[in-house]
């Protein structure tokens, strides 16, 4: 039986890790001098809680640099350059943010940390109980009107001095069989590390995040119903 809070054998696991843990919670965090795999989901989720806001700030910057959009709770979109703050924006179709009575904010629908239930399911189904292979606990997405802007965003990420790109899944490639492999869904998904003085200091420079770059035409059909169909497809594939 999979115990998600117990490390599995390093002989069967390869993946991302962390170079150091600082003593925030002594029972979980210890200082080590070299990179090791982190298989335990409690440690991975502790990392994720600290990394999430750091990653989000980078995502917003990359969106602003490439004409990116972010989905809102009202099923609309806001340009990254028009964000008022980290979470809230005013829907110009319903109110004027310069007016004193403008009290109806819309919210950006940021991706949350991956649900623990799905993480356990994925580790058991796809990773032979090896938690260190999870690379999308911290995730976000940017929406684009066209492929050209996706290329610009990729270039900004590639040349960022604190980014290590580990993998790119190009589901927009004509050779990618989306019908068989992803139920028709397409995007460009990057797995990356942020290696900066801040993440080194916090022991987060080994944590892998995922960023999805999605065309608006695909995002618009990525509704709750569409996601339910994808989950059914994924379950049939035992993924």
């Amino acid at each position: 039986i999979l115990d998600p809070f117990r490390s599995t054998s390093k002989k069967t696991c390869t993946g991302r890790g962390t170079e150091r843990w600082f003593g925030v919670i002594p029972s979980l965090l210890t200082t080590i001098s070299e990179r090791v795999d982190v298989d335990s989901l409690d440690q991975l989720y502790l990392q994720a809680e600290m990394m999430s806001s750091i990653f989000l700030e980078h995502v917003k910057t990359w969106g602003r640099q490439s004409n990116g959009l972010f989905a809102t709770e009202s099923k609309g979109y806001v340009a990254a350059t028009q964000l008022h703050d980290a979470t809230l924006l005013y829907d110009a179709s319903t109110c004027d943010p310069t007016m004193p009575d403008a009290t109806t904010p819309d919210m950006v629908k940021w991706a949350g940390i991956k649900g623990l239930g799905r993480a356990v399911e994925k580790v058991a189904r796809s990773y032979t109980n090896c938690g260190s292979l999870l690379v999308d606990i911290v995730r976000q997405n940017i929406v684009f009107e066209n492929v050209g802007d996706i290329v610009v965003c990729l270039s900004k990420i590639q040349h960022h001095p604190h980014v290590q790109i580990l993998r790119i899944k190009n589901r927009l490639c004509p050779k990618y069989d989306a019908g068989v492999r992803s139920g028709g869904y397409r995007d460009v998904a990057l797995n990356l590390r942020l290696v900066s003085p801040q993440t080194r200091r916090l022991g987060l420079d080994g944590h892998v995040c995922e960023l999805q770059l999605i065309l608006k035409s695909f995002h618009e059909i990525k509704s709750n119903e569409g996601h339910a169909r994808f989950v059914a497809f994924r379950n049939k594939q035992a993924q």
Side-chain angles (χ1 to χ4, degrees):
I1 299 175
L2 173 64
D3 178 358
F5 300 107
R6 185 188 65 199
S7 294
T8 55
S9 171
K10 298 296 187 298
K11 295 180 180 179
T12 60
C13 297
T14 58
R16 51 80 180 270
T18 182
E19 290 186 356
R20 61 197 61 81
W21 285 97
F22 288 82
V24 179
I25 302 178
S27 63
L28 296 178
L29 308 183
T30 57
T31 302
I32 57 178
S33 60
E34 60 184 21
R35 187 179 300 278
V36 298
D37 291 341
V38 177
D39 304 325
S40 176
L41 289 189
D42 57 354
Q43 291 185 341
L44 290 173
Y45 271 81
L46 179 58
Q47 284 185 331
E49 288 290 344
M50 294 188 289
M51 176 60 83
S52 181
S53 61
I54 299 173
F55 182 55
L56 179 58
E57 290 305 311
H58 284 80
V59 170
K60 289 189 289 185
T61 297
W62 296 327
R64 285 191 290 266
Q65 294 173 336
S66 55
N67 296 319
L69 306 172
F70 294 111
T72 68
E73 294 287 353
S74 64
K75 299 183 180 180
Y77 297 89
V78 60
T81 54
Q82 295 177 349
L83 289 180
H84 290 283
D85 57 40
T87 58
L88 297 179
L89 61 111
Y90 284 97
D91 186 345
S93 66
T94 60
C95 63
D96 181 351
T98 65
M99 300 298 291
D101 60 349
T103 58
T104 309
D106 195 3
M107 295 187 69
V108 177
K109 192 174 183 179
W110 301 118
I113 290 175
K114 191 178 195 72
L116 180 59
R118 171 56 184 155
V120 172
E121 180 181 71
K122 194 170 185 179
V123 167
R125 287 179 174 181
S126 303
Y127 298 148
T128 61
N129 296 350
C130 181
S132 69
L133 297 180
L134 280 172
V135 293
D136 61 348
I137 298 177
V138 176
R139 68 271 176 89
Q140 289 295 338
N141 63 73
I142 309 175
V143 181
F144 296 91
E145 296 276 6
N146 56 70
V147 173
D149 288 338
I150 291 180
V151 173
V152 171
C153 188
L154 284 169
S155 178
K156 296 297 183 182
I157 297 171
Q158 178 186 2
H159 292 97
H160 194 287
H162 296 154
V163 169
Q164 290 182 353
I165 298 176
L166 304 180
R167 179 176 66 182
I168 299 178
K169 287 186 178 180
N170 182 11
R171 298 187 181 97
L172 295 180
C173 177
K175 295 182 180 180
Y176 179 81
D177 192 343
V180 172
R181 301 181 66 181
S182 58
Y185 174 74
R186 292 182 182 271
D187 65 10
V188 177
L190 295 86
N191 294 111
L192 56 88
R193 291 190 181 108
L194 295 174
V195 183
S196 67
Q198 180 187 24
T199 59
R200 286 193 181 103
R201 185 173 66 253
L202 295 172
L204 302 176
D205 50 313
H207 194 89
V208 182
C209 306
E210 181 169 283
L211 178 61
Q212 298 176 351
L213 310 179
I214 310 173
L215 286 172
K216 187 178 178 182
S217 56
F218 276 96
H219 194 274
E220 287 175 338
I221 60 176
K222 196 178 178 181
S223 61
N224 290 335
E225 182 180 351
H227 182 68
R229 288 195 296 267
F230 175 73
V231 170
F233 170 84
R234 186 180 68 198
N235 289 339
K236 289 182 179 179
Q237 301 288 320
Q239 296 176 350

